[in-house]
Every structure is written in structure tokens, then in C-alpha cells.
Amino acid sequence: MGSLPPTHLDFSSHQDISKDNLLTLFKSQQDLLNHFFKHLDLTQTLSFSRLLLSASGTVFFTGVGKSAFVANKVSQTLVSLSFRSSFLSPLDALHGDIGALSSRDVLVLFSKSGATEELLRLVPCAKARGAFLVSLTSVPGNPLAGVCDMNVHLPLERELCPFNLAPVTSTAIQMVFGDTIAVALMAARNLTKEEYGANHPAGRIGKSLIFKVKDVMKKKDELPVCKEGDLIMDQLVELTSKGCGCLLVVDAAHRLIGTFTDGDLRRTLKASGEAIFKLSVGEMCNRKPRTIGPETMAVEAMKKMESPPSPVQFLPVVNEDNTLIGIVTLHGLVSAGL
């Protein structure tokens, strides 16, 4: 049984959220975001984008409360795109971390009101370090914009919150603005898929862009290898013990002749009965199996396995002269996170 709710909470009321109410809220938020897009000053935005693109040092982002979460996220996005960026806590900055700033750096300050006390205290300290300061604010004529080197106004009609207090639209605007600028910088730097993937080696994105067949294939003693003259029944251990679901049939020079799967075994046994004891692997193997090269991207191997006319569970890996050097399995690709 699941845990019972705390006794001090009343779950007996019939409060609910209707589909119509949700639809109204989403449409209202859409209208508020459209206000932002319609009134955003592209001249300011372009100047800001070019500043970040030309920065010779680190681009630091800072903020307080919900804006701090946005600042940290935008900074991490830039890092993932190979830009030098970091989040600077305004509190920690005033207790030693300000030492990270230099005259080569840019400090971007997120603040809806532009009157955040912690940020206003940070400004003279950051200026003393020689950093270039940019405020991203939504209230016209705010004090933070007046003391920074550059300001970008993020137009905000109001918060979706019925009290116009909870920062549920302003933070959405900040996030959309920051992430869009990040993509603009990504395009300006001509970042490739391979470069992006190199920054995400442990994730599925990175693995699909980095890993080649040779990185995920089984090889050497892991391969279920046999000769075409070997009797099927003599190779049952090899067929079942390597976890590949097949035998790889090779000649004396280790060139691939064909494959014999556990499915082939069942079909042969059904069709031949006791005669299977006298049949060789070479007589019953598939001599035109799908194969793949070691330098092919691993994600392409998965696509090839799933391609028509019917999916397969493995691909023998061969070099230019058809010499067998490995096998890549669907299970192995999935286990690798692809």
C-alpha cells in the first residue's frame, strides 16, 4: 500500500482544474510571450550577441532567486557549446569569488526589476575588476541598467500569476532570450555536430555523434567464429556461449563467408530432423549477410539493423578485403546508450 497523506492536510475538498481553465492559461501565457517577441529591441539584442561572440575572456552570468536558476542554465548551455562561461553567485562574489573576474570578462546580470540589492552591491566590485557589465532587465528606467555598461530590455507586459507577482512569465522570457542567443552564437561559430557531441560524451547525443562501430563491437575471443566445414552440432556451444545469437563463418584467411543464426538452427532442425547431425555450417549459412565497416558511426549500424526487408540483431564487422574483425549487436548498441 502507498503512504497515507499527512493528517494535517485536507484532501476532502472538491477543488479541481478544468480543461478550459488550463487552455485559457496557456493562451494567456502565449499572448504574454508574443508581447515579448513583438517588442524586443533587436538592435540591443544584436549588440549583446556580438559582445558575447567577441569576448576574449569568460562570460559570467549572475542573478538572484529564480533569475539565478536561469543565469546558471544559460551559462551551462554556452559551456556545452564550447564557450567559456560560468555562473557567479552574487553572494559568493562578495566573499571572495569576485577574484574570478578580469578585464577580459563579461558579466551578465539577470534581474526582472533591475533593483535587486545583491546585484547593485556587486556592480562596483565587478567594475573595479575591469569586467564589462550587461544588465538584462524588464522594468524601464531601473537602477541596474543605469550603472551597467550595456542594458538589454526584455519586454514584459505582466506575469501570468493572477497577482502579477510570481515570476512565471519573466523567467520564461529570460530563458527564451538566453537560449536563443546561445543558438545564435552556436551558428556564428559554425559549431559542428561532432564538436557538440564531444562535449556530451556520456549522453546519448554525444555517443551517437562520437562512437564508431569499432568502439562498440565485440572482437577477437568474443567472436563466435567457425569454419564452413564444421558440423552444426559441433558448434552449438560456440553458437550459444558468446551472446551474439549467431556463428560467423570464415575461411582459412579469416574472411567472412556467411552467418548462421540460432533462428537458422531452429529452421534447419525442423526441416532436416536427425539429418542435422551430418550437416555442416557452410551448407546452411547465409552467404549474403549484411555487414558494416569499423569506421561507420555506431548509430548508422543501428539504422542498418532496422532497415528493410527485415530487421536483424547483429552485423559482422569487416574491413576492405572482407576480413572479419568484429561483430556489433543490437543489444550491445542499446547497452552503450545509443
Side-chain angles (χ1 to χ4, degrees), residues 177-198:
F177 179 82
D179 282 346
T180 304
I181 296 299
V183 174
L185 297 174
M186 177 183 180
R189 285 273 184 92
N190 295 314
L191 189 76
T192 66
K193 282 186 177 181
E194 290 71 26
E195 290 170 329
Y196 183 78

Side-chain angles (χ1 to χ4, degrees), residues 209-227:
L209 295 173
I210 296 173
F211 282 14
K212 296 183 177 181
V213 168
K214 65 182 180 181
D215 300 316
V216 295
M217 70 182 187
K218 293 186 176 186
K219 48 195 171 185
K220 297 182 179 179
D221 293 340
E222 299 176 291
L223 301 181
V225 176
C226 72
K227 301 294 176 59

Side-chain angles (χ1 to χ4, degrees), residues 62-78:
T62 190
V64 175
K66 306 299 185 296
S67 293
F69 290 107
V70 176
N72 194 13
K73 192 274 178 188
V74 173
S75 173
Q76 290 302 310
T77 297
L78 287 180

Side-chain angles (χ1 to χ4, degrees), residues 49-87:
S49 303
R50 287 174 172 170
L51 172 69
L52 300 194
L53 184 63
S54 62
S56 59
T58 300
V59 179
F60 288 91
F61 289 83
T62 190
V64 175
K66 306 299 185 296
S67 293
F69 290 107
V70 176
N72 194 13
K73 192 274 178 188
V74 173
S75 173
Q76 290 302 310
T77 297
L78 287 180
V79 170
S80 75
L81 301 177
S82 299
F83 286 85
R84 287 194 299 275
S85 183
S86 183
F87 174 75

